[in-house]
Amino acid sequence: MPFKMPSLTVLLAAPLALGPLSPALAADETPATPGGQEALAVLTEAVAVPTVEGRGQVPVLADKLARRLIAAGFAPSDVQFTPVGETGYLIARYPGRDRKALPTLVIAHMDVVEAKPADWERDPFTPVIEDGYLFGRGALDNKGDLAMVMAAVMGLHRAGWVPAHDLILAFSGDEETQMATTAAMAKALGKADLVLNADAGAGTLDASGKPFVYEVQAGEKTYGDYTLTISDPGGHSSRPGKTNAIAAMSAAMEKIWAYHFPVQVSPLTKAYLEGSAASAPAEVAGAMRALAANPTDAEAAATLSARPEYVGVIRTTCVPTMIAGGHAPNALPQSVSANVNCRIFPGTSRAAVLDRLTKVVDNPAIHIAFTENGTLESIESPLRKDVLHAVEIAVHQRSPGLTIVPGMSAGATDSMHFRSRGIPAFGISATYMRAQDEFAHGLNERLPLATLDPGVKQWQTVLTTLLK
Ligand SMILES: [Zn+2]
């Protein structure tokens, strides 16, 4: 049963103080709009709560977010936190005019990847503003967009806007690890018309800071690890026999490395290839158009496969990533195991990939098994005209004429738990940044402050257009 935070009612009596922003802000770095300023306040507060797995801090952050929503006018009974182990998820319902219609969900995650302070130049959990960026773990993934969504929705609520149907903010608490909160949240929410994910999609700026392309994420590959094992009687290394476990595994790895899964083009990746060709380097633009027109064009596939940034778009990929074996320098190895990491094209089953790897390896002495990791097989969301239309209006208001392409990401997000339930999900983050500023999961993660003002506005325009 959802548990309502007891502290919320207490808070209602007290006026909400947004508090001074802890980092010192240069005048030209301060967001210009009330929405941008509120987003920065939420972000600063959120980065300071270390919502890393195992630290029990997600409920603390959820409580802070819930207080803000209630202060902005949300009914306390519409804001509920549900604990799941040491973490949990937050659901806030924004009632619409038609209460019976299926709701629109806006999802984001409150948890962050671990960060070791010793490795960072600045403390990862002390928000620091420098050179137009806010530094800190989660500044980008995903507290930046979470803060923009919060500011956008609170601003609309204060202004008295009422959506056509219910709008639900649904924030998970272990997206980076188990996704148990996502699974529980998706189950608890049940049917929905649509999911808008703040943790995928985004705008890319070129090196000079000019918007270059905006991507709407409508699908993602399935993450899959396969473990290969072989055992052998072994023996003294001075008396080698016919078999050797290391040699056999090496041969298997070599075959997997050399193997290319068949090229696949789906409605989503076809739209991606067509849309991306306009802004791609000349040598690949032709290949993109050719492959979109004819998925059996081997030359076009070879051109794209030669580039790491595109190879994953056109096929399932599997690569050896770990190997271990042998027990002494002077003994024949008794066992060897290896890990092969696959990014599986949407619509292809994990079992089909296992079958293919088995055929490629072609050695019955090697056992291959899928490693369960909680991910679900993914399907892509059919591109929805109303969503693309709302995104186009919002993106072009921010950046007239910017190319918008639907895309597929290489890794899993919370969207997979909704897509697997048949709910279309679209990643439409309002963060625009340069490729070289992207440090999600890494050291010195940061968010460009310049994205806050237009980002809040972008979320508001998407929501008011879709739910007008
Ligand atoms: Zn994320």
Side-chain angles (χ1 to χ4, degrees), residues 86-371:
E86 55 96 23
T87 177
Y89 60 87
L90 182 70
I91 288 177
R93 190 176 286 266
Y94 189 146
R97 299 191 297 275
D98 180 354
R99 300 301 312 269
K100 294 211 177 82
L102 291 178
T104 292
L105 314 182
V106 178
I107 64 170
H109 64 88
M110 299 180 283
D111 60 306
V112 294
V113 171
E114 179 63 280
K116 289 209 181 94
D119 298 341
W120 282 52
E121 280 171 43
R122 309 160 188 83
D123 181 69
F125 301 108
T126 303
V128 173
I129 286 176
E130 249 178 66
D131 305 329
Y133 296 93
L134 185 136
F135 289 83
R137 170 59 87 226
L140 175 64
D141 184 10
N142 177 223
K143 290 173 174 174
D145 258 84
L146 180 132
M148 286 187 267
V149 165
M150 286 280 294
V153 169
M154 291 189 292
L156 291 172
H157 205 290
R158 282 191 213 101
W161 177 70
V162 180
H165 54 252
D166 285 12
L167 173 64
I168 295 176
L169 301 185
F171 298 155
S172 62
D174 62 344
E175 191 271 348
E176 299 289 5
T177 51
Q178 315 302 322
M179 290 195 186
T181 58
T182 322
M185 184 167 84
K187 191 170 176 221
L189 287 166
K191 288 200 171 101
D193 177 47
L194 180 67
V195 165
L196 301 174
N197 188 347
D199 187 34
T204 304
L205 307 177
D206 66 17
S208 74
K210 198 169 149 279
F212 166 68
V213 67
Y214 183 82
E215 184 172 312
V216 177
Q217 193 248 47
E220 52 198 30
K221 293 178 102 177
T222 305
Y223 179 104
D225 284 313
Y226 293 83
T227 306
L228 286 77
T229 48
I230 182 170
S231 47
D232 192 83
H236 201 285
S237 61
S238 64
R239 281 176 277 160
K242 278 196 176 130
T243 59
N244 181 292
I246 290 177
M249 188 61 85
S250 301
M253 293 297 108
E254 192 66 43
K255 285 176 178 172
I256 289 173
W257 175 237
Y259 178 72
H260 289 155
F261 278 75
V263 172
Q264 283 178 281
V265 179
S266 68
L268 171 58
T269 58
K270 184 175 193 294
Y272 169 82
L273 292 169
E274 287 165 350
S276 301
S279 51
E283 62 270 30
V284 291
M288 286 176 154
R289 291 194 184 98
L291 196 69
N294 174 17
T296 64
D297 188 325
E299 201 187 317
T303 302
L304 295 176
S305 291
R307 297 187 156 239
E309 66 271 44
Y310 298 121
V311 63
V313 175
I314 63 169
R315 52 164 52 106
T316 294
T317 59
C318 288
V319 291
T321 53
M322 293 199 296
I323 191 162
H327 57 282
N330 56 357
L332 296 170
Q334 288 167 356
S335 71
V336 180
S337 69
N339 188 77
V340 169
N341 180 252
C342 300
R343 305 299 169 118
I344 305 168
F345 202 86
T348 299
S349 73
R350 298 182 296 208
V353 172
L354 175 64
D355 199 48
R356 186 65 65 122
L357 290 175
T358 305
K359 288 199 177 89
V360 168
V361 167
D362 191 26
N363 181 350
I366 294 180
H367 179 252
I368 311 180
F370 180 77
T371 313

Side-chain angles (χ1 to χ4, degrees), residues 407-427:
M408 170 176 78
S409 59
T413 68
D414 279 340
S415 287
M416 91 184 160
H417 284 276
F418 297 92
R419 290 198 183 107
S420 73
R421 291 175 165 269
I423 303 170
F426 300 94

Side-chain angles (χ1 to χ4, degrees), residues 6-20:
S7 51
L8 295 184
T9 35
V10 176
L11 176 94
L12 275 181
L16 181 89
L18 292 182

